[in-house]
Amino acid sequence: MEIKPMIRNNICLNAHPEGCALNVKKQIEYTKKNLKIDAQQNAAKLAPKLALVVGCSNGYGLASRICAGFGYGSVTVGLSFENEPSEKRSGTPGFYNNAVFDLEAEKEGLVSISLNGDAYSDEMKTKTIDAVRQAAAKAGIPAKIDLFIYSLASPARTDPKTGVLYKSVIKPIGTAFSGKTLNMMDGTFSTAKAEPATEEEIFNTVKVMGGEDWELWMDSLDSEGLFSANTCTLAYTYIGPELSWDIYKNGTIGKAKEDLERACCDINKKFSGKIRGAWVSVNKALVTRSSAVIPIIPFYISCLFKVMKEMGLHEGCIEQIVRLYRDRLYLMDVPVDSENRIRIDDWEMREDVQKAVTERMKIVTPENVFEETDIAGFKNDFLEVHGFLNSV
Ligand code: NAD
């Protein structure tokens, strides 16, 4: 059956199972070539034997799971929230990605369990804990999680204690935002406008995308005795260039990410001496299902990719996470910035890269957008995330 992408306002409504499979396999191959325990002495001591990835089916979470499993040979338990296919609709890409991950893991003799459900709920926390024990028993190893990745990108969260549903918004704080945005499908520009968020919207966004649920996960896993002195936990954030700060870093999402950093600090205090540590890693801007809907970001990324490809510095999710594990997390002393964050956005934020991107953004017009930006690369990556590759 021929499946064509159905795209509305930079959101893709369907997915191609075969393309999703190819995408996952490509990431596995890259990992096998570039991430090995024997390549690093420290990794041999610290590398995870059992990893839990919450938000495992796409983007940074998927890459994190692939690297733990296929790079370090870890047992992996993954949780995500995806739609199964029905007679009328295809499933979401993550549904197919998880199925392929489990199949490929089995071929390599790696134990993996994928769960589908709401990570914010108490019910899924309990089911995940059961799955961790089950996976450890199957692999014949102790039920101790040495790597816990928290990589959710969600528009809504029901608080498990109160039952209240909170929705996140992408809005500026204080003053209205107006910025150039790019339709990746046809190269047309429009102006994206957003009114400042209300106090309630800021609060709600922090509830969804802040650190509270990460802390709840830590408490649940700890109360079941699933941590060891080797346990590392990571959550991801983005900072980006100043031109995006009004809508991102200084906006509602930025407030939520500030709360994620607050949670990281509190986790480190609470679990001091009990686990190896908690970190927030600042990652590069990439095309995932979430990033294409943030105003200004598609235009910025199209220019960024052009510049980084020209400089030979371009990376996707899998390259980022390989470098994150190999050159940061699994060094004996994890290199961090002044705020205790891991920086794997270092190449994106390099002065020469940012200068070239700013220059590039100034000269782009609707007439030269296909030559002067990598809008083709943006579109390609966006379609690829949904399984629509050139070859399928
Ligand atoms: P993504 O959309 O590709 O993946 C999100 C994951 O969360 C999926 O596995 C999805 O199933 C899961 N999920 C969503 N709601 C859930 C729920 N209620 N229960 C269980 N699972 C749920 O997202 P991404 O772009 O990889 O983002 C992951 C993290 O990385 C986010 O914190 C994001 O802010 C951060 N980040 C992203 C970028 C970027 O450019 N994409 C850059 C830096 C940091």
Side-chain angles (χ1 to χ4, degrees):
M1 181 179 65
E2 193 191 2
I3 312 173
K4 291 219 161 93
M6 288 157 49
I7 295 168
R8 312 267 180 283
N9 301 325
N10 283 4
I11 295 173
C12 185
L13 304 172
N14 59 344
H16 198 304
E18 286 167 40
C20 289
L22 281 176
N23 191 9
V24 173
K25 286 182 195 168
K26 214 166 74 175
Q27 294 194 48
I28 291 174
E29 283 317 307
Y30 179 85
T31 303
K32 283 184 1 199
K33 283 200 190 102
N34 292 283
L35 192 65
K36 290 185 184 73
I37 289 187
D38 61 4
Q40 291 167 271
Q41 251 195 333
N42 293 331
K45 289 188 210 118
L46 300 170
K49 294 186 180 61
L50 204 172
L52 168 63
V53 182
V54 172
C56 68
S57 60
N58 281 305
Y60 279 119
L62 174 62
S64 304
R65 190 182 191 191
I66 289 175
C67 287
F70 292 89
Y72 292 145
S74 171
V75 170
T76 62
V77 175
L79 168 62
S80 57
F81 208 8
E82 300 292 338
N83 295 335
E84 292 181 20
S86 65
E87 266 183 30
K88 286 200 183 120
R89 299 184 71 148
S90 75
T92 43
F95 173 83
Y96 302 113
N97 294 341
N98 287 338
V100 176
F101 181 95
D102 287 335
L103 205 71
E104 293 301 310
E106 199 185 342
K107 281 190 207 160
E108 304 250 339
L110 295 169
V111 175
S112 77
I113 298 181
S114 301
L115 302 162
N116 196 21
D118 181 5
Y120 296 123
S121 69
D122 289 340
E123 184 201 350
M124 284 319 293
K125 288 186 174 74
T126 306
K127 283 193 176 162
T128 305
I129 286 164
D130 290 346
V132 166
R133 291 225 166 84
Q134 203 188 321
K138 196 171 171 199
I141 59 169
K144 297 285 178 193
I145 297 166
D146 0 64
L147 177 62
F148 171 40
I149 302 283
Y150 185 82
S151 182
L152 291 186
S154 174
R157 169 180 174 218
T158 301
D159 185 314
K161 305 278 174 285
T162 60
V164 175
L165 173 70
Y166 296 95
K167 291 189 175 166
S168 67
V169 294
I170 301 170
K171 285 192 173 183
I173 294 176
T175 42
F177 172 80
S178 173
K180 210 174 184 179
T181 201
L182 180 58
N183 181 328
M184 82 192 116
M185 297 312 286
D186 59 12
T188 54
F189 285 96
S190 57
T191 304
K193 291 193 172 128
E195 288 304 312
T198 62
E199 283 303 320
E200 194 186 355
E201 285 173 323
I202 299 169
F203 179 83
N204 292 355
T205 306
V206 172
K207 268 294 217 188
V208 180
M209 288 295 287
E212 188 177 77
D213 184 55
W214 186 19
E215 293 178 285
L216 290 176
W217 270 99
M218 290 298 292
D219 289 342
S220 301
L221 299 171
D222 179 49
S223 69
E224 296 290 326
L226 296 178
F227 290 148
S228 76
N230 254 1
T231 304
C232 307
T233 182
L234 285 182
Y236 299 136
T237 192
Y238 181 65
I239 296 178
E242 249 182 276
L243 64 94
S244 68
W245 284 6
D246 283 348
I247 192 73
Y248 196 89
K249 181 174 171 285
N250 297 336
T252 48
I253 294 286
K255 275 274 170 259
K257 294 297 187 184
E258 257 174 55
D259 188 63
L260 198 69
E261 291 187 33
R262 187 248 349 123
C264 183
C265 192
D266 287 352
I267 289 170
N268 275 322
K269 277 189 208 138
K270 190 168 188 176
F271 294 94
S272 166
K274 198 166 193 179
I275 65 170
R276 184 169 173 240
W279 290 270
V280 167
S281 171
V282 188
N283 296 358
K284 179 193 181 191
L286 281 175
V287 183
T288 61
R289 297 193 79 208
S290 311
S291 60
V293 293
I294 305 177
I296 199 84
I297 294 291
F299 180 35
Y300 167 71
I301 290 185
S302 299
C303 293
L304 178 75
F305 282 15
K306 181 84 176 174
V307 167
M308 290 188 84
K309 283 179 185 175
E310 280 170 4
M311 292 182 168
L313 294 173
H314 183 67
E315 294 177 305
C317 284
I318 200 70
E319 290 86 354
Q320 277 267 291
I321 302 297
V322 163
R323 206 155 64 82
L324 168 64
Y325 286 5
R326 195 188 55 204
D327 302 343
R328 303 282 192 279
L329 187 63
Y330 291 114
L331 297 183
M332 215 36 114
D333 292 313
V334 180
V336 289
D337 68 9
S338 58
E339 310 294 315
N340 203 38
R341 295 174 299 217
I342 296 177
R343 302 301 295 255
I344 207 75
D345 64 338
D346 48 346
W347 295 353
E348 169 181 355
M349 297 316 292
R350 249 169 57 169
E351 214 178 309
D352 55 343
V353 172
Q354 284 301 316
K355 191 162 175 278
V357 174
T358 311
E359 292 304 316
R360 187 65 58 124
M361 288 179 84
K362 281 187 201 148
I363 60 159
V364 174
T365 63
E367 289 70 40
N368 67 16
V369 65
F370 287 95
E371 293 80 48
E372 295 295 343
T373 78
D374 188 30
I375 184 173
F378 188 108
K379 183 175 163 189
N380 178 73
D381 289 4
F382 181 77
L383 290 173
E384 192 171 276
V385 167
H386 297 85
F388 295 103
L389 313 177
N390 291 334
S391 50
V392 293

